[in-house]
Amino acid sequence: MSKRWLDWAIAAGVATSLVVAGHPATVPGYALLAASGLVLLARTRSPRAVLAATGLLALGYQATGADVPVIAFLFAVYSTMRAGHRVFTLAGSVLMLATLPLAALASPRDLTTYEAFAQTRDVLQIAWLIAAAAAGEALRQAERRADEAERTKEETARRRANEERLHIARELHDSLTHQISVIKLQAEVAVHLARKRGEEVPEPLLVIRDAGREASRELRATLEALRDDDKNPPHGIKDVPDLVERARATGLDARLTIEGRHDDVPAAVERTAYRIVQESLTNIARHAAAATARVHIDYREDTVIIEVDDDGTAAPGNTAPGVGLLGMRERVTALGGHLQAAPRTEGGFRVQAELPVAQP
């Protein structure tokens, strides 16, 4: 049974039992008894309002002469305690105990003060109040513990996932480092032998050697970042000139222009900007067959614009993204920015990213 149907069943059952057991002398008395039960339909959404309503209705039908326990008020006490309104529940209960004798005295049965207080004990015993409040509080505590257990379970799952990612990163680091070290060592040996023989070292060989060194350093820095170690801070925009210089060392006519200031740029934006330029220059070197590349960084009030253009052989309309472009797009989207990567109408390819900068 759904919770809504359970509320309907409780409200209808309480209303029926009050009407059957109440025997009030007037029609308004029956209406007050029925309404006292039906108002419980709102006990989940508005527990405090229901507590006040059931209390007032109980006083009303007691004043008409209906000598029946205030069952609806007890359900309301349970609901307000379950919702965590302890002070409101206590105040409402004390007020109810104090005013019930007055309602009995106002009834047409002409009761004495002693009889009025005796009737109050019959229709609302303190033990009932305590039991209803205790049940509501016990269930609230149980639900709170269940929620905490669920949160703990989720945190544990996230921690295990992070540990697994770190393990994978370490394995990847060890594997790639070995392979790159072999490449770097072979390049360094070749450079050494060429210089020892007095020969001119080929430029591509120097680029391979330097790229191997950089790749090894980057792998170490990435692993340290996963370990939350700040000894090797990640790359940022300040490192972009080094990227451009390395691109020039391969024979590409790469140029960098920077406009504006770059104070208080978030670290995430710094890292993403560096990766965009790095991936773009790598793609130009591998796939574009370009002679020139232009990197432009524009610092604006709330945005950093990165543009990388080349004069390669990309054909307009050929926009199928590779893994590198997908990675760039994911980084930019995660920051709430926009990325455009497409062939230019005048030839070549353009990567343009807009990275929002959070303002203080």
Side-chain angles (χ1 to χ4, degrees):
M1 182 182 294
S2 67
K3 191 172 185 180
R4 187 61 179 166
W5 279 108
L6 180 60
D7 289 342
W8 271 102
I10 291 174
V14 172
T16 301
S17 63
L18 288 174
V19 170
V20 171
H23 302 297
T26 62
V27 173
Y30 280 105
L32 290 170
L33 286 167
S36 181
L38 294 177
V39 77
L40 291 175
L41 279 172
R43 67 188 182 91
T44 302
R45 298 191 303 273
S46 306
R48 288 181 290 186
V50 170
L51 182 69
T54 54
L56 291 173
L57 290 168
L59 293 174
Y61 68 69
Q62 289 295 323
T64 65
D67 184 11
V68 60
V70 289
I71 302 173
F73 183 76
L74 294 175
F75 272 97
V77 167
Y78 162 81
S79 299
T80 50
M81 283 296 291
R82 181 177 176 180
H85 306 302
R86 299 175 181 173
V87 175
F88 188 89
T89 305
L90 177 61
S93 299
V94 171
L95 186 61
M96 189 67 174
L97 289 170
T99 54
L100 265 178
L102 301 178
L105 286 172
S107 69
R109 291 189 295 172
D110 194 22
L111 300 175
T112 65
T113 302
Y114 175 79
E115 290 171 337
F117 275 95
Q119 179 178 325
T120 299
R121 289 194 300 270
D122 291 337
V123 300
L124 182 60
Q125 294 186 12
I126 294 178
W128 296 350
L129 274 175
I130 294 174
E137 178 65 15
L139 188 56
R140 188 180 76 86
Q141 293 290 344
E143 291 174 342
R144 184 178 62 82
R145 287 193 294 269
D147 291 340
E148 290 179 353
E150 184 65 24
R151 285 195 298 270
T152 301
K153 181 179 179 181
E154 292 176 357
E155 291 172 358
T156 300
R158 285 196 296 270
R159 186 177 67 253
R160 288 177 178 173
N162 289 335
E163 291 174 352
E164 181 62 21
R165 282 195 291 268
L166 181 57
H167 174 71
I168 293 172
R170 286 170 176 165
E171 292 292 332
L172 186 61
H173 169 266
D174 293 341
S175 175
L176 290 178
T177 299
H178 173 72
Q179 300 299 330
I180 292 174
S181 296
V182 172
I183 296 172
K184 182 183 68 172
L185 179 61
Q186 294 291 336
E188 289 178 345
V189 169
V191 170
H192 174 73
L193 292 176
R195 287 174 175 170
K196 186 177 180 180
R197 290 193 294 263
E199 300 173 355
E200 182 179 357
V201 180
E203 188 66 24
L205 192 58
L206 294 174
V207 172
I208 292 173
R209 182 198 63 182
D210 294 340
R213 290 175 178 174
E214 177 65 16
S216 297
R217 195 192 67 79
E218 286 244 6
L219 283 171
R220 289 194 299 270
T222 301
L223 186 61
E224 292 300 328
L226 289 171
R227 289 171 172 167
D228 296 326
D229 188 349
D230 293 332
K231 294 179 180 179
N232 295 297
H235 286 299
I237 298 177
K238 66 181 183 300
D239 300 304
V240 169
D242 294 336
L243 287 176
V244 175
E245 285 300 318
R246 285 199 295 272
R248 289 176 61 85
T250 65
L252 179 67
D253 181 13
R255 303 292 177 86
L256 170 66
T257 58
I258 299 178
E259 294 185 14
R261 298 175 59 84
H262 51 89
D263 297 333
D264 300 325
V265 176
V269 174
E270 289 267 354
R271 291 194 298 269
T272 300
Y274 177 87
R275 293 303 180 189
I276 289 171
V277 176
Q278 182 186 47
E279 184 64 31
S280 298
L281 292 177
T282 300
N283 287 340
I284 292 171
R286 290 177 178 175
H287 310 298
T292 64
R294 298 293 180 263
V295 179
H296 179 70
I297 299 176
D298 185 5
Y299 292 94
R300 300 181 182 177
E301 183 178 357
D302 56 358
T303 310
V304 177
I305 307 294
I306 298 101
E307 293 181 352
V308 183
D309 296 330
D310 68 70
D311 63 350
T313 57
N318 183 19
T319 59
V323 175
L325 287 178
L326 290 175
M328 282 194 286
R329 193 175 302 279
E330 289 174 357
R331 287 175 179 269
V332 173
T333 302
L335 295 177
H338 304 282
L339 178 74
Q340 293 181 348
R344 302 187 301 169
T345 55
E346 63 270 29
F349 199 84
R350 166 172 290 179
V351 174
Q352 182 183 62
E354 298 182 12
L355 304 177
V357 178
Q359 295 298 312

